[in-house]
Amino acid sequence: MSRKASILQEKSEHYSFRIMRLYRFLLESQHEGIVSKQILRSGTSIGANIAEAQNAQSNADFINKLSIALKETNETAYWLKILFNGKYINELGYNSMLNDNEEIAKMLVSSIKTLKQKMGIDDTTR
C-alpha cells in the first residue's frame, strides 16, 4: 500500500467515526431516524470502499472501488446539506464535516486520475 493510499484510508476511517457519532447525535438528540440512516450508510461506505480497493484484483477494479467511494462522498455531502438546511446540525458542524468530506473527495480524484494516467486511460473524472 502506498503512503498516499494509507493516508486516504486513515482519513476515511476517521471520517467514518465522525459519521457514526453524527448518526448517534441525530437519533438521540434530534430524534431524526430517516436521513441519519442514509448518511450513516453513505458516509461509512466511503472508507469501506477504500479499504476494499486495497485488495483489488486489478487496476481497473481498484479504480472502480475508488470511484464508488467518490460517489459516496457526493451522496454524503448531499445528506449533510439536507441536515444543515433542515436545522438538524449547526453551521460549524456542517462546515467541519463537509470540509473533511471534500478533502477525501479530492484525494480520491487525485488517486483515480494518477492511476488512469499510468494506465493510459482518458480521464474525465471531475
Side-chain angles (χ1 to χ4, degrees):
M1 179 187 314
S2 72
R3 179 70 184 135
K4 187 175 183 179
S6 64
I7 292 170
L8 179 58
Q9 189 162 2
E10 184 180 308
K11 286 186 179 292
S12 66
E13 287 173 4
H14 176 71
Y15 192 64
S16 291
F17 299 141
R18 292 192 71 198
I19 289 288
M20 291 166 55
R21 287 191 298 273
L22 174 61
Y23 172 74
R24 191 174 325 121
F25 165 77
L26 291 168
L27 281 180
E28 294 173 1
S29 300
Q30 302 295 319
H31 306 290
E32 198 300 307
I34 297 171
V35 175
S36 63
K37 287 180 184 175
Q38 294 292 332
I39 199 163
L40 177 67
R41 187 202 56 75
S42 66
T44 57
S45 181
I46 298 165
N49 279 289
I50 292 168
E52 203 174 325
Q54 302 311 311
N55 292 312
Q57 296 176 351
S58 65
N59 284 341
D61 188 31
F62 186 83
I63 290 170
N64 183 55
K65 299 296 186 220
L66 293 187
S67 296
I68 293 169
L70 181 59
K71 289 178 183 181
E72 296 294 342
T73 64
N74 291 333
E75 181 179 342
T76 302
Y78 171 81
W79 293 123
L80 286 169
K81 184 177 180 181
I82 294 299
L83 289 167
F84 174 66
N85 288 334
K87 306 217 184 301
Y88 286 99
I89 57 176
N90 64 29
E91 187 172 2
L92 181 64
Y94 170 70
N95 287 332
S96 177
M97 293 293 291
L98 191 62
N99 286 339
D100 283 357
N101 190 51
E102 289 174 352
E103 182 180 2
I104 292 168
K106 287 176 184 176
M107 292 177 75
L108 286 165
V109 168
S110 175
S111 296
I112 293 166
K113 283 185 176 184
T114 299
L115 188 52
K116 283 184 175 181
Q117 287 172 349
K118 287 181 182 177
M119 294 173 62
I121 298 172
D122 182 32
D123 186 22
T124 56
T125 307
R126 283 194 183 180

